[in-house]
Amino acid sequence: KVFDNNKFEDYKIKENDDLFISISTVDEAATANFFSNNSSSQMNRSLDLFGATLLSQTVDKEGFIEMQGIGKILVKDKTLVQVKSIISQALVNVLNQPLVSVKLINRFVSVLGEVRSPGHFPFAQDKLSIYDALGFAGDITEYGNRSEVILVRNENGKNIRITLNLAESDILSSEYYFLRPNDIIYVKPLRKKFWGMREFPFGTVLSAISTTILVLNYVINQK
Protein backbone atom coordinates (compact mmCIF):
# COMPACT_ATOMS: atom_id res chain seq x y z
CA LYS A 1 0.00 0.00 0.00
CA VAL A 2 1.33 3.43 -0.95
CA PHE A 3 0.78 6.43 1.36
CA ASP A 4 0.68 9.97 0.01
CA ASN A 5 2.61 12.36 2.27
CA ASN A 6 1.52 15.38 0.22
CA LYS A 7 -1.85 15.46 1.98
CA PHE A 8 -0.22 16.46 5.26
CA GLU A 9 -0.56 20.18 5.89
CA ASP A 10 2.51 22.38 6.24
CA TYR A 11 3.12 23.97 9.61
CA LYS A 12 1.23 27.22 10.24
CA ILE A 13 3.15 29.93 12.09
CA LYS A 14 1.97 30.84 15.59
CA GLU A 15 2.66 33.67 18.03
CA ASN A 16 6.03 33.49 19.79
CA ASP A 17 7.52 31.44 16.96
CA ASP A 18 11.07 32.44 16.06
CA LEU A 19 11.75 32.93 12.36
CA PHE A 20 15.19 32.95 10.76
CA ILE A 21 15.13 35.12 7.65
CA SER A 22 17.96 35.33 5.14
CA ILE A 23 17.92 38.09 2.50
CA SER A 24 20.51 38.50 -0.24
CA THR A 25 20.78 39.96 -3.75
CA VAL A 26 23.18 39.94 -6.67
CA ASP A 27 24.22 43.44 -5.55
CA GLU A 28 25.82 43.03 -2.13
CA ALA A 29 26.51 46.75 -1.72
CA ALA A 30 22.86 47.62 -2.35
CA THR A 31 21.74 45.05 0.20
CA ALA A 32 24.08 46.42 2.87
CA ASN A 33 23.05 50.02 2.08
CA PHE A 34 19.33 49.18 2.21
CA PHE A 35 19.47 47.59 5.63
CA SER A 36 21.84 50.18 7.10
CA ASN A 37 19.41 52.95 6.08
CA ASN A 38 16.34 51.16 7.45
CA SER A 39 16.82 50.29 11.09
CA SER A 40 14.09 48.76 13.22
CA SER A 41 13.87 48.42 16.98
CA GLN A 42 11.72 45.31 16.49
CA MET A 43 14.56 43.30 14.99
CA ASN A 44 16.11 40.81 17.39
CA ARG A 45 19.39 40.26 15.58
CA SER A 46 20.96 41.28 12.29
CA LEU A 47 24.14 39.92 10.74
CA ASP A 48 25.79 40.42 7.38
CA LEU A 49 27.40 37.19 6.20
CA PHE A 50 28.81 36.67 2.69
CA GLY A 51 26.52 39.36 1.31
CA ALA A 52 23.39 37.98 2.99
CA THR A 53 21.53 39.75 5.76
CA LEU A 54 20.32 37.29 8.37
CA LEU A 55 17.43 38.30 10.60
CA SER A 56 15.90 36.64 13.63
CA GLN A 57 12.33 37.65 14.34
CA THR A 58 9.84 36.63 17.01
CA VAL A 59 6.17 36.64 16.06
CA ASP A 60 4.29 38.99 18.40
CA LYS A 61 0.99 38.17 20.14
CA GLU A 62 -0.97 39.73 17.27
CA GLY A 63 0.84 37.50 14.77
CA PHE A 64 3.12 40.13 13.20
CA ILE A 65 6.83 40.56 12.58
CA GLU A 66 8.41 43.91 11.69
CA MET A 67 11.18 44.12 9.10
CA GLN A 68 13.53 46.85 8.02
CA GLY A 69 12.25 48.87 5.11
CA ILE A 70 9.06 46.82 4.88
CA GLY A 71 7.16 47.38 8.10
CA LYS A 72 4.78 44.98 9.82
CA ILE A 73 3.95 41.68 8.16
CA LEU A 74 1.14 39.40 9.30
CA VAL A 75 2.60 35.89 9.44
CA LYS A 76 0.32 34.08 11.89
CA ASP A 77 -1.48 31.07 10.36
CA LYS A 78 0.70 31.29 7.25
CA THR A 79 3.20 28.70 6.07
CA LEU A 80 6.91 29.41 5.71
CA VAL A 81 6.51 29.34 1.92
CA GLN A 82 3.77 31.96 2.09
CA VAL A 83 5.86 34.25 4.31
CA LYS A 84 8.82 33.89 1.95
CA SER A 85 6.61 34.95 -0.95
CA ILE A 86 5.24 37.97 0.96
CA ILE A 87 8.73 39.22 1.86
CA SER A 88 10.03 38.63 -1.66
CA GLN A 89 7.17 40.62 -3.18
CA ALA A 90 7.71 43.47 -0.71
CA LEU A 91 11.40 43.69 -1.62
CA VAL A 92 11.16 43.29 -5.40
CA ASN A 93 10.91 47.04 -6.02
CA VAL A 94 13.70 48.04 -3.64
CA LEU A 95 16.34 45.33 -4.10
CA ASN A 96 17.79 43.80 -7.23
CA GLN A 97 16.57 40.20 -7.54
CA PRO A 98 16.11 39.56 -3.81
CA LEU A 99 16.66 36.00 -2.61
CA VAL A 100 14.70 35.20 0.54
CA SER A 101 14.80 32.18 2.83
CA VAL A 102 12.54 31.72 5.86
CA LYS A 103 12.97 28.99 8.45
CA LEU A 104 11.46 28.22 11.83
CA ILE A 105 14.20 28.06 14.47
CA ASN A 106 12.19 27.03 17.52
CA ARG A 107 11.56 23.48 16.33
CA PHE A 108 11.74 21.13 19.31
CA VAL A 109 10.10 17.84 20.20
CA SER A 110 10.21 15.97 23.53
CA VAL A 111 10.42 12.17 23.67
CA LEU A 112 9.81 10.56 27.06
CA GLY A 113 9.00 7.22 28.66
CA GLU A 114 10.36 3.86 27.54
CA VAL A 115 13.03 5.11 25.12
CA ARG A 116 16.78 4.67 25.43
CA SER A 117 17.69 8.37 25.64
CA PRO A 118 14.68 10.53 26.58
CA GLY A 119 15.07 14.25 26.05
CA HIS A 120 14.16 17.54 24.35
CA PHE A 121 15.41 17.53 20.76
CA PRO A 122 15.78 20.31 18.16
CA PHE A 123 15.10 19.47 14.52
CA ALA A 124 15.62 21.24 11.20
CA GLN A 125 13.41 19.15 8.92
CA ASP A 126 10.30 20.75 7.45
CA LYS A 127 8.52 17.47 8.20
CA LEU A 128 9.50 15.28 11.13
CA SER A 129 7.83 11.90 11.46
CA ILE A 130 7.16 10.21 14.78
CA TYR A 131 9.74 7.57 13.83
CA ASP A 132 12.34 10.29 13.25
CA ALA A 133 11.65 11.65 16.75
CA LEU A 134 11.97 8.20 18.31
CA GLY A 135 15.26 7.84 16.46
CA PHE A 136 16.55 10.96 18.21
CA ALA A 137 15.82 9.21 21.52
CA GLY A 138 17.56 5.98 20.55
CA ASP A 139 14.31 4.12 19.72
CA ILE A 140 11.84 2.36 22.02
CA THR A 141 13.29 -0.02 24.60
CA GLU A 142 12.30 -3.68 24.76
CA TYR A 143 9.93 -2.75 27.57
CA GLY A 144 8.16 0.00 25.62
CA ASN A 145 4.62 -0.51 24.39
CA ARG A 146 4.55 0.28 20.66
CA SER A 147 0.78 -0.09 20.67
CA GLU A 148 0.28 2.74 23.17
CA VAL A 149 2.39 5.74 22.30
CA ILE A 150 0.94 9.02 23.58
CA LEU A 151 1.18 12.25 21.60
CA VAL A 152 0.53 15.47 23.54
CA ARG A 153 -0.05 18.52 21.33
CA ASN A 154 -1.17 22.07 21.98
CA GLU A 155 -3.94 23.17 19.64
CA ASN A 156 -5.54 26.59 20.02
CA GLY A 157 -4.24 26.91 23.56
CA LYS A 158 -5.48 23.49 24.68
CA ASN A 159 -3.43 20.34 25.19
CA ILE A 160 -4.83 17.31 23.41
CA ARG A 161 -3.82 13.70 24.03
CA ILE A 162 -3.77 11.14 21.22
CA THR A 163 -2.94 7.44 21.55
CA LEU A 164 -1.04 6.04 18.57
CA ASN A 165 -0.43 2.41 17.64
CA LEU A 166 2.97 2.17 15.95
CA ALA A 167 2.49 -1.55 15.42
CA GLU A 168 -0.15 -0.84 12.73
CA SER A 169 0.74 0.34 9.23
CA ASP A 170 -2.17 2.78 9.31
CA ILE A 171 0.03 5.13 11.34
CA LEU A 172 1.68 6.11 8.03
CA SER A 173 -1.56 7.70 6.84
CA SER A 174 -2.48 9.22 10.20
CA GLU A 175 -2.77 12.98 10.51
CA TYR A 176 -0.44 12.64 13.49
CA TYR A 177 2.34 10.81 11.63
CA PHE A 178 4.22 14.09 11.17
CA LEU A 179 4.95 16.02 14.33
CA ARG A 180 4.73 19.73 15.04
CA PRO A 181 7.08 21.92 17.06
CA ASN A 182 6.71 21.42 20.82
CA ASP A 183 4.92 18.07 20.50
CA ILE A 184 5.53 15.60 23.32
CA ILE A 185 5.85 11.86 22.70
CA TYR A 186 5.44 9.47 25.65
CA VAL A 187 6.05 5.73 25.23
CA LYS A 188 4.13 3.73 27.83
CA PRO A 189 5.79 0.71 29.49
CA LEU A 190 4.60 -2.84 28.90
CA ARG A 191 2.65 -4.53 31.69
CA LYS A 192 5.48 -6.90 32.56
CA LYS A 193 7.53 -3.97 33.81
CA PHE A 194 5.04 -3.50 36.63
CA TRP A 195 5.68 -7.07 37.77
CA GLY A 196 9.31 -6.27 38.48
CA MET A 197 10.66 -8.25 35.55
CA ARG A 198 12.80 -5.49 34.14
CA GLU A 199 16.53 -6.12 34.40
CA PHE A 200 16.00 -8.55 37.30
CA PRO A 201 19.37 -10.23 38.12
CA PHE A 202 18.24 -13.83 37.75
CA GLY A 203 21.78 -15.00 36.96
CA THR A 204 23.19 -13.46 40.13
CA VAL A 205 20.43 -14.96 42.28
CA LEU A 206 20.88 -18.46 40.81
CA SER A 207 24.62 -18.22 41.26
CA ALA A 208 24.19 -17.26 44.91
CA ILE A 209 21.79 -20.17 45.49
CA SER A 210 24.21 -22.63 43.87
CA THR A 211 27.10 -21.33 45.98
CA THR A 212 25.04 -21.65 49.16
CA ILE A 213 24.13 -25.26 48.35
CA LEU A 214 27.77 -26.13 47.69
CA VAL A 215 28.87 -24.56 50.98
CA LEU A 216 26.17 -26.42 52.91
CA ASN A 217 27.17 -29.75 51.29
CA TYR A 218 30.80 -29.11 52.18
CA VAL A 219 29.94 -28.33 55.81
CA ILE A 220 27.74 -31.43 56.12
CA ASN A 221 30.42 -33.68 54.61
CA GLN A 222 33.02 -32.36 57.05
CA LYS A 223 30.99 -33.47 60.09
Side-chain angles (χ1 to χ4, degrees):
K1 185 177 180 180
V2 177
F3 298 95
D4 183 9
N5 288 339
N6 292 325
K7 72 177 184 177
F8 295 99
E9 292 186 359
D10 290 331
Y11 178 76
K12 301 293 181 64
I13 296 170
K14 297 178 173 55
E15 62 181 81
N16 296 320
D17 276 348
D18 291 324
L19 301 181
F20 184 79
I21 304 170
S22 171
I23 300 173
S24 62
T25 72
V26 294
D27 188 345
E28 296 179 9
T31 305
N33 183 63
F34 174 79
F35 284 101
S36 64
N37 291 334
N38 294 280
S39 62
S40 171
S41 60
Q42 297 298 319
M43 184 185 306
N44 294 336
R45 292 182 295 277
S46 177
L47 172 68
D48 288 327
L49 182 64
F50 303 115
T53 297
L54 312 178
L55 313 176
S56 174
Q57 293 274 5
T58 299
V59 181
D60 66 22
K61 61 181 180 181
E62 282 79 31
F64 288 87
I65 60 173
E66 186 168 347
M67 294 188 60
Q68 295 175 331
I70 299 176
K72 284 193 172 184
I73 301 173
L74 180 62
V75 298
K76 185 178 180 180
D77 295 328
K78 291 181 170 54
T79 67
L80 296 176
V81 172
Q82 289 173 327
V83 174
K84 174 184 175 181
S85 177
I86 292 171
I87 296 174
S88 297
Q89 290 298 317
L91 291 172
V92 73
N93 293 323
V94 292
L95 290 177
N96 185 16
Q97 299 180 31
L99 301 175
V100 179
S101 174
V102 181
K103 294 186 178 297
L104 189 67
I105 56 176
N106 61 325
R107 292 175 181 263
F108 292 91
V109 63
S110 298
V111 186
L112 309 171
E114 284 298 321
V115 291
R116 301 187 189 284
S117 301
H120 188 59
F121 305 97
F123 64 96
Q125 301 97 311
D126 288 336
K127 290 185 177 181
L128 180 81
S129 75
I130 190 169
Y131 292 114
D132 292 329
L134 290 170
F136 292 158
D139 204 359
I140 298 174
T141 71
E142 59 185 304
Y143 299 100
N145 190 343
R146 294 178 182 272
S147 299
E148 289 191 68
V149 176
I150 308 301
L151 167 64
V152 179
R153 171 176 295 173
N154 187 285
E155 288 191 346
N156 301 318
K158 296 182 179 180
N159 288 324
I160 62 172
R161 182 178 181 273
I162 303 100
T163 301
L164 303 174
N165 185 350
L166 302 189
E168 298 290 338
S169 61
D170 288 347
I171 185 64
L172 299 174
S173 59
S174 167
E175 62 180 303
Y176 302 109
Y177 176 69
F178 286 109
L179 303 181
R180 297 179 185 174
N182 301 315
D183 276 354
I184 299 173
I185 300 297
Y186 173 70
V187 180
K188 296 181 68 174
L190 291 169
R191 288 183 177 275
K192 66 179 181 180
K193 179 180 178 181
F194 295 109
W195 293 95
M197 301 295 287
R198 184 179 187 184
E199 299 178 0
F200 189 81
F202 289 106
T204 302
V205 173
L206 291 174
S207 177
I209 293 173
S210 298
T211 301
T212 301
I213 292 174
L214 289 173
V215 171
L216 289 174
N217 287 335
Y218 176 79
V219 172
I220 293 173
N221 291 332
Q222 293 299 313
K223 291 183 178 180

